[in-house]
Amino acid sequence: MDRQQNSDRIVGAIFAVALAAVLASFFNAWLPFGIAVCGLLVLGLALGFGSLRRPVALLFAMYVLLLAGMVWLQDSPRLLGGLPAATALLVYGIWPMPLLAALIYALVFPTSVLPEDKLQAFLDKHARR
Amino acid sequence: MPITQSPVIIACVVAYLVCCFAIGVWALRRTRSAADFFVAGKSLGPVVMTIATMASIMSGFGFVGGPGLVYESGISSLWITFPATIGFALSWVLLGKRLRLLAETREILTLPDAVAARYGGRWPRLAMAVALVLGVIGYLGTQVLAVGVVLVAVLNVSMPVALVIGLGVLAFYTVAGGILAGVYNDLFQGIVMMAASAAVFFYALLSGGGMSHISTTLWAMDPAFIGPWGTRGPLASLSWYALFGLGWMGQPHGITKFLMLRDPRGLRWGALATGMVYMVCSLLWMSIGLAMRAMVENRLQPPLANPDLAAPVFLMQHTPPVVAGVVFAGLLAAIMSTANSFLNIGAAAVVRDIPLALRGSAPRRELRWSRVATMVLLVVSALFALYMENLVALMGVFGWGTFAAAIVPPLAIGLNWKRATAPACVASIAVSLAVNFALELLAKYRIYTLPYGMNVGCFALLVSLLVFIAVSWAGTRRQHPPLPPEVRAVMEI
């Protein structure tokens, strides 16, 4: 599948998920809405990263697991790290977790995001003099 | 806001204003062209860009409204500040490289410049410029009002005098030094904000008796308050997460910083560093509201008349004057750094983008006219804030949502998807503005509100995305002008 087809598919998925989110919001179906929101965020990363499917899929899986955990524990008064367990999953999980995507971006930057040879070729050909 | 009489707090705030003024003098000598004025001559290193981006995004709302919202709605409020981590990652992944490389190929000083490069024609540029002006007016009005409120509390002067002092300093460094003064003030302000947040987090935990004690107290009061969704409920919280996660890519005061970066290689660690720095500043947001509410429950603090008093009352009554002084300076920093960015973006839209769209050329002596436009915008927003407070509050509400819904589809999707079309760009911007304004007005006059706490900005953003993609699909069979080779190269690298 070439890059164009790949982005066509991801944008198609963004359309379907955004539509699902709008519909879910009218029926107070907040869990499907939440999963759709996570899907949109992760599809955005997939559109930008292009070829890095596994880390993006892993991020989505972690989002869904954390959301499920929050639903599971939301009535539990047990404290984790000084917070009720479900809130702890939000504060210690959902809040910092996307830094993983930022870390991946930094790690693959010289090889996948902006390789030096491609950047140099681009600048040689297109940079404004 | 209660009025402080502490000379230490007043000294901290005055020292802060003097530093802002000094940075303006320094930048004045280095601003010689419109490119210097709008994009700092593409001279920023990654560290300056990181802290300046965080400082311009964390507005006065983060230091006053955020803690107030935690005090009122509990954990719900955190769904506004926590999405910053995914928002920064998305912005760097989807926009950072594309916007920065686009600026290598032609003169890109503003977001409408980028839209015009991507889609061609005058309408996408005009639509984007109009969306920016509308959003800027709302955002700027609220920031101006906030500057006045803080200075009234600290200096014990009347509102007009407070506005003259605060806006005088802001006007000087923005008009004289443009965005160059802005970003170096942002750097200074960002450091003040981080120091303030870390100190306040420590004192909030100390005053509340530790995080476990705060949580136990609040759970006994109302489990929903300290539960993961807060008192606003799951749909409202999740719609905030969507709006502030996806919507970060549509905040012009943040993403124009990509155009200012000296070297595209400097993007590498930016998302991670900015996310971490923003997390430090969010500690203030989270801790003050929870600690104050727990202290009220434990009768260590009388209930607040207004949730927005949570931060100022906490600072004056539960922290040493030096810490309160630094935080008040940080609060002013948060407000002024955001206002400065909006002044610059608004001036660019008025002086450069709208004339370019309508006449095909920017005015001669662009730098001079940019300074004039900045001054005019500041005066208009001050008058607006003084005499039309209700309207300012209304417009401030949809500032973030307007930008998110109008800018995310055409830029974040459009720079990564070649099938996106110019009509889709214009249609999505028009629909986003119409949906946002209509739903906010209907809600304001209690005619209709979205059900189950769904956020208007989030709804408008989703609708705008759907329109953008659908109109692009509908237009794929029609002949569109081919992408210029350099724009195609930017999208393929």
Side-chain angles (χ1 to χ4, degrees):
Chain A
M1 187 165 41
D2 70 12
R3 198 183 175 113
Q4 177 66 43
Q5 282 177 317
N6 188 39
S7 51
D8 281 346
R9 285 190 178 194
I10 294 172
V11 170
I14 288 174
F15 184 87
V17 174
L19 188 60
V22 169
L23 293 176
S25 75
F26 281 108
F27 298 99
N28 199 20
W30 58 267
L31 192 55
F33 178 84
I35 292 171
V37 166
C38 297
L40 277 177
L41 296 168
V42 170
L43 283 167
L45 289 174
L47 184 65
F49 274 132
S51 56
L52 292 172
R53 290 188 192 171
R54 278 188 200 167
V56 170
L58 177 70
L59 196 66
F60 181 66
M62 288 169 71
Y63 257 129
V64 173
L65 280 176
L66 285 167
L67 266 183
M70 284 164 59
V71 174
W72 179 260
L73 294 168
Q74 63 186 346
D75 295 323
S76 166
R78 196 158 58 95
L79 296 185
L80 275 177
L83 292 163
T87 307
L89 290 184
L90 169 68
V91 174
Y92 303 127
I94 285 185
W95 187 21
M97 185 186 62
L99 292 179
L100 271 180
L103 180 64
I104 291 168
Y105 175 81
L107 292 177
V108 302
F109 190 89
T111 53
S112 299
V113 178
L114 200 53
E116 188 60 35
D117 55 335
K118 286 189 181 175
L119 174 63
Q120 211 50 58
F122 173 87
L123 294 175
D124 290 345
K125 194 169 178 187
H126 299 291
R128 202 158 44 108
R129 305 291 171 204
Chain B
M1 192 179 274
I3 291 174
T4 173
Q5 301 293 334
S6 163
V8 178
I9 295 177
I10 295 170
C12 285
V13 169
V14 171
Y16 160 76
L17 291 173
V18 169
C19 285
C20 290
F21 191 84
I23 292 172
V25 172
W26 170 82
L28 172 63
R29 297 175 185 174
R30 287 162 178 77
T31 300
R32 298 187 185 91
S33 67
D36 292 337
F37 194 83
F38 290 132
V39 291
K42 284 200 293 188
S43 63
L44 302 192
V47 175
V48 177
M49 187 208 167
T50 293
I51 297 178
T53 304
M54 180 281 293
S56 56
I57 288 289
M58 179 65 88
S59 66
F61 180 78
F63 270 44
V64 176
L69 207 51
V70 173
Y71 179 88
E72 182 206 15
S73 310
I75 298 296
S76 301
S77 164
L78 301 185
W79 291 89
I80 294 175
T81 185
F82 283 4
T85 47
I86 185 72
F88 289 126
L90 276 167
S91 303
W92 258 258
V93 171
L94 279 168
L95 282 174
K97 176 177 69 174
R98 313 256 182 250
L99 277 177
R100 181 59 188 82
L101 290 183
L102 204 55
E104 284 293 331
T105 66
R106 48 176 84 190
E107 189 179 62
I108 305 281
L109 304 185
T110 64
L111 295 184
D113 281 344
V115 165
R118 167 63 183 85
Y119 297 102
R122 64 171 63 180
W123 292 106
R125 181 195 285 274
L126 185 62
M128 181 61 78
V130 169
L132 286 177
V133 170
L134 290 175
V136 160
I137 290 172
Y139 240 127
L140 204 51
T142 55
Q143 302 301 317
V144 164
L145 203 56
V147 168
V149 169
V150 174
L151 285 180
V152 165
V154 175
L155 302 180
N156 196 10
V157 292
S158 68
M159 183 58 129
V161 173
L163 283 179
V164 167
I165 296 170
L167 301 188
V169 173
L170 179 64
F172 174 74
Y173 82 72
T174 307
V175 172
I179 202 67
L180 190 63
V183 289
Y184 281 94
N185 260 311
D186 284 351
L187 174 67
F188 164 62
Q189 290 160 347
I191 292 167
V192 172
M193 285 157 69
M194 281 192 288
S197 299
V200 164
F201 182 66
F202 171 76
Y203 279 101
L205 293 190
L206 201 67
S207 307
M211 199 64 234
S212 298
H213 187 247
I214 292 172
S215 293
T216 310
T217 303
L218 295 176
W219 184 273
M221 175 193 83
D222 176 8
F225 184 89
I226 189 73
W229 317 110
T231 58
R232 302 253 174 158
L235 195 74
S237 299
L238 289 165
S239 66
W240 277 343
Y241 195 74
L243 174 64
F244 290 92
L246 290 166
W248 203 95
M249 294 181 285
Q251 301 311 305
H253 48 315
I255 58 177
T256 46
K257 299 285 190 298
F258 291 131
L259 302 173
M260 302 174 195
L261 195 59
R262 187 189 312 135
D263 184 339
R265 298 170 189 88
L267 289 165
R268 184 174 182 182
W269 295 99
L272 187 64
T274 314
M276 292 169 75
V277 165
Y278 197 92
M279 283 177 83
V280 172
C281 284
S282 298
L283 292 175
L284 181 146
W285 182 314
M286 179 170 75
S287 57
I288 287 184
L290 293 178
M292 281 297 277
R293 194 60 188 256
M295 283 192 279
V296 168
E297 278 306 298
N298 290 327
R299 300 181 193 283
L300 299 171
Q301 166 74 45
L304 300 177
N306 176 352
D308 281 346
L309 295 177
V313 168
F314 176 81
L315 292 171
M316 289 183 198
Q317 296 183 2
H318 300 281
T319 62
V322 173
V323 173
V326 171
V327 179
F328 271 113
L331 171 57
L332 263 184
I335 299 165
M336 288 172 72
S337 58
T338 306
N340 158 266
S341 294
F342 280 119
L343 278 172
N344 198 266
I345 290 161
V350 170
V351 170
R352 178 184 174 81
D353 299 320
I354 293 178
L356 268 172
L358 295 179
R359 301 185 320 174
S361 64
R364 282 184 297 167
R365 296 182 176 175
E366 200 178 352
L367 177 59
R368 177 188 292 183
W369 284 113
S370 302
R371 286 180 162 144
V372 172
T374 304
M375 200 62 216
V376 171
L377 270 175
L378 194 60
V379 171
V380 168
S381 58
L383 293 173
F384 198 51
L386 268 176
Y387 297 110
M388 302 177 83
E389 203 172 319
N390 283 340
L391 193 56
V392 170
L394 177 66
M395 296 192 77
V397 168
F398 56 61
W400 185 282
T402 303
F403 287 138
I407 297 176
V408 169
L411 275 179
I413 306 289
L415 283 176
N416 289 278
W417 185 45
K418 289 184 197 152
R419 288 194 208 283
T421 63
C425 168
V426 176
S428 68
I429 292 173
V431 166
S432 70
L433 294 178
V435 170
N436 239 319
F437 278 61
L439 286 176
E440 288 288 359
L441 282 175
L442 289 173
K444 164 103 178 157
Y445 294 106
R446 296 167 194 254
I447 298 168
Y448 175 76
T449 48
L450 288 170
Y452 311 113
M454 175 72 174
N455 179 273
V456 168
C458 174
F459 185 80
L461 172 57
L462 293 174
V463 171
S464 171
L465 266 175
L466 292 173
V467 168
F468 181 75
I469 297 169
V471 175
S472 293
W473 279 340
T476 45
R477 287 186 189 165
R478 291 178 55 195
Q479 282 289 329
H480 293 285
L483 284 170
E486 72 275 17
V487 176
R488 178 175 284 274
V490 165
M491 294 177 70
E492 287 176 349
I493 192 170

